[in-house]
């Protein structure tokens, strides 16, 4: 790309198409000479070390303080990089400082670290810079990262005891399958009596564990590794991200919270952009990207296409069949009264509260669910082992 002074620029940008990249660069007053797809980063996806939510939350807090205090951005970022010894975050901060010293925007600097930041994070910063309300966007992301950390802490606390019970139960089951169950089979084989169906099942499991235990364990590890790598690779393409998001949103208990979080991000980002007089079509595209859901972004782009053809925004939302009816109805009401931004801010707060409540309820529900599941499993094994004992008298009397 070439600017008005004839200076040549090169860089990378995380977008779905070359046309979108060219449009963004032209909006910035650059003459686009070539847009080429970037090769995948070297190294296996599961070997990369992206920033954790703790790192992102810390970065959000520091950036928000810098922006709200009107401090010189580059010196403040340099001081922050000096004080932080985090081995993941410090190299990123040093790189951001160097890029900002060269005059690049925060969004452009972040785009050079696609493996460190989630795509939604970069899109939200872009929306904040484009709307002139970077502080509001950073505050939103700080609240979001704090909510994620709180939800994870709640889940870890709730699942700590069930996890210990589950590990102990697996150890007991392994011992029973290897040492105890085969003894029952030998005893009843001597009496010529068949084992009950439940006991037969655990005898079959015992044979597999005793004869192929190492292979079973290796197969389970391989399946988990393939699943993780498959998810990472799938997210390298737009279609793959949409399919992954669709599957995740359909997962019982978990998908609802993820959908609510994406909808809250979309609503708040769209409100920020519209209140800053950003064009509607561009606002829909940026808000869709800021949601963090490729599926929601596709529907937001569909809404933008319908609006460009003369449809109202509320009717376009309803036509997708993806957005909740309450969202469409409240948006239509706000659109009719001329208070769309206020309606979207109210919707975002509502969805954030629903997502937080969902996360707390999920943590409180999973703990007893796991305990009951382990108890049922152990009870099943116990009953299966005692069933032959109950019929031992019949076997002896023959």
């Amino acid at each position: 790309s070439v600017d008005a002074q004839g200076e040549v620029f090169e860089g990378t940008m995380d977008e779905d198409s070359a046309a979108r990249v060219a449009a963004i660069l032209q909006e910035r007053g650059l003459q686009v000479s070539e847009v080429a797809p970037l090769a995948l980063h070297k190294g296996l996806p599961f070997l990369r070390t992206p920033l954790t939510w703790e790192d992102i939350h810390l970065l959000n807090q520091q950036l928000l303080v810098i922006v709200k205090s009107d401090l010189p951005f580059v010196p403040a970022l340099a001081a922050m990089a000096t004080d932080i010894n985090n081995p993941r975050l410090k190299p990123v901060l040093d790189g951001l400082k160097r890029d900002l010293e060269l005059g690049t925007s925060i969004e452009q600097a972040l785009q050079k670290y696609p493996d460190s930041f989630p795509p939604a994070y970069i899109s939200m910063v872009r929306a904040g810079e484009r709307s002139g309300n970077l502080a509001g966007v950073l505050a939103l992301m700080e609240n979001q990262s704090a909510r994620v950390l709180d939800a994870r802490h709640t889940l870890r606390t709730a699942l700590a005891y069930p996890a210990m019970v589950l590990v102990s139960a697996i150890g007991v089951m392994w011992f029973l399958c290897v040492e105890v169950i085969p003894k029952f089979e030998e005893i009843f084989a001597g009496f010529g009596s068949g084992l009950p169906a439940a006991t037969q099942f655990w005898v079959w499991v015992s044979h597999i564990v005793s004869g192929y235990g190492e292979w079973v364990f290796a197969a389970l590890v391989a399946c988990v590794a393939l699943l993780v790598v498959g998810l990472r690779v799938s997210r390298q393409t737009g279609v793959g991200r949409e399919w992954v998001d669709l599957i995740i949103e359909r997962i019982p208990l978990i998908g609802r919270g993820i959908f609510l979080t994406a909808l809250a991000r979309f609503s708040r980002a769209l409100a920020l952009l519209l209140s800053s007089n950003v064009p509607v079509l561009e606002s829909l595209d940026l808000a869709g990207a800021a949601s963090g859901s490729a599926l929601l972004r596709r529907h937001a782009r569909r809404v933008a296409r319908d609006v460009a053809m003369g449809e109202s925004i509320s009717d376009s939302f309803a036509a997708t069949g993806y957005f909740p009816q309450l969202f469409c109805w409240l948006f239509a009401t706000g659109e009719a009264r001329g208070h769309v931004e206020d309606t979207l801010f109210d919707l975002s707060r509502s969805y954030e509260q629903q997502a937080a409540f969902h996360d707390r309820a999920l943590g409180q529900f999973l703990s007893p669910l796991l305990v009951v599941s382990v108890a049922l499993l152990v009870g099943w094994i116990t009953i299966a082992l005692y069933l032959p004992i109950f019929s031992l008298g019949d076997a002896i009397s023959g």
Side-chain angles (χ1 to χ4, degrees), residues 12 16 175 177 282 364:
T12 61
D16 292 337
F175 174 76
C177 289
E282 185 179 358
Q364 295 174 358

Side-chain angles (χ1 to χ4, degrees), residues 43-366:
L44 296 176
F46 57 87
L47 293 180
R48 299 172 191 160
T49 55
L51 297 179
T52 64
W53 277 106
E54 288 81 1
D55 301 332
I56 293 176
H57 184 62
L58 176 60
L59 179 62
N60 285 338
Q61 289 179 323
Q62 300 296 327
L63 291 180
L64 184 59
V65 170
I66 293 174
V67 173
K68 282 188 173 181
S69 303
D70 290 329
L71 297 173
F73 209 91
V74 175
L77 200 62
M80 184 169 65
T82 302
D83 295 336
I84 292 179
N85 295 322
N86 188 310
R88 293 181 302 271
L89 187 56
K90 184 175 177 58
V92 175
L93 291 176
D94 291 334
L96 292 177
K97 179 181 70 69
R98 290 193 300 267
D99 293 333
L100 293 175
E101 287 175 343
L102 297 176
T104 61
S105 65
I106 302 176
E107 173 206 343
Q108 293 171 323
L110 290 175
Q111 284 176 344
K112 295 184 178 181
Y113 302 92
D115 293 335
S116 298
F117 296 98
Y121 189 93
I122 301 175
S123 298
M124 285 293 288
V125 171
R126 178 193 306 158
E129 288 192 317
R130 185 69 178 82
S131 65
N133 191 7
L134 184 59
V137 169
L138 289 173
L140 168 64
M141 291 190 293
E142 183 191 12
N143 292 334
Q144 174 61 23
S145 58
R147 194 187 68 79
V148 171
L149 292 177
D150 182 65
R152 289 189 173 186
H153 175 73
T154 301
L155 286 175
R156 288 172 182 172
T157 303
L159 298 179
Y161 173 72
M164 294 179 61
V165 174
L166 182 61
V167 171
S168 302
I170 292 175
V172 172
M173 288 170 54
W174 192 282
F175 174 76
L176 293 175
C177 289
V178 174
E179 299 293 337
V180 178
I181 295 178
K183 305 298 184 183
F184 281 86
E185 184 182 17
E186 295 175 2
I187 293 173
F188 279 82
F191 287 111
S193 175
L195 295 175
T199 311
Q200 287 279 12
F201 171 78
W202 286 108
V203 168
W204 174 74
V205 173
S206 174
H207 289 166
I208 294 178
V209 173
S210 300
Y212 309 98
E214 297 82 359
W215 292 102
V216 171
F217 180 77
L220 291 176
V221 173
C223 289
V224 173
L226 288 175
L227 179 62
V228 172
V229 174
L231 290 175
R232 295 286 182 89
V233 173
S234 298
R235 287 191 169 275
Q236 300 299 319
T237 63
V239 176
R241 286 195 294 269
E242 289 181 11
W243 274 104
V244 171
D245 289 339
L246 178 62
I247 294 172
I248 291 176
E249 289 184 8
R250 297 295 186 272
I251 297 177
L253 303 179
I254 299 176
R256 178 65 178 171
I258 294 175
F259 172 72
L260 290 172
T261 300
L263 204 55
R265 291 176 182 169
F266 173 79
S267 301
R268 187 171 290 273
L270 186 59
L272 289 171
L273 291 164
L274 293 177
S275 62
S276 302
N277 297 320
V278 178
V280 173
L281 301 184
E282 185 179 358
S283 296
L284 288 168
D285 187 30
L286 290 174
S291 69
S293 169
L295 191 61
L296 192 152
R297 186 178 189 183
R298 176 166 65 84
H299 288 291
R301 286 179 169 177
R302 175 184 169 182
V303 171
R305 288 195 300 268
D306 292 343
V307 171
M309 296 175 63
E311 296 288 337
S312 67
I313 305 179
S314 56
D315 291 340
S316 301
F317 275 127
T320 62
Y322 178 80
F323 294 90
Q325 292 184 353
L326 181 61
F327 177 93
C328 299
W329 181 77
L330 289 176
F331 191 95
T333 303
E335 190 177 25
R337 297 179 178 179
H339 301 294
V340 172
E341 295 86 355
D342 294 336
T343 300
L344 286 170
F345 277 122
D346 292 338
L347 283 170
S348 67
R349 286 190 290 268
S350 174
Y351 287 130
E352 287 168 0
Q353 292 173 358
Q354 292 181 46
F357 175 79
H358 179 274
D359 291 341
R360 289 194 299 269
L362 180 62
Q364 295 174 358
F365 175 76
L366 284 180

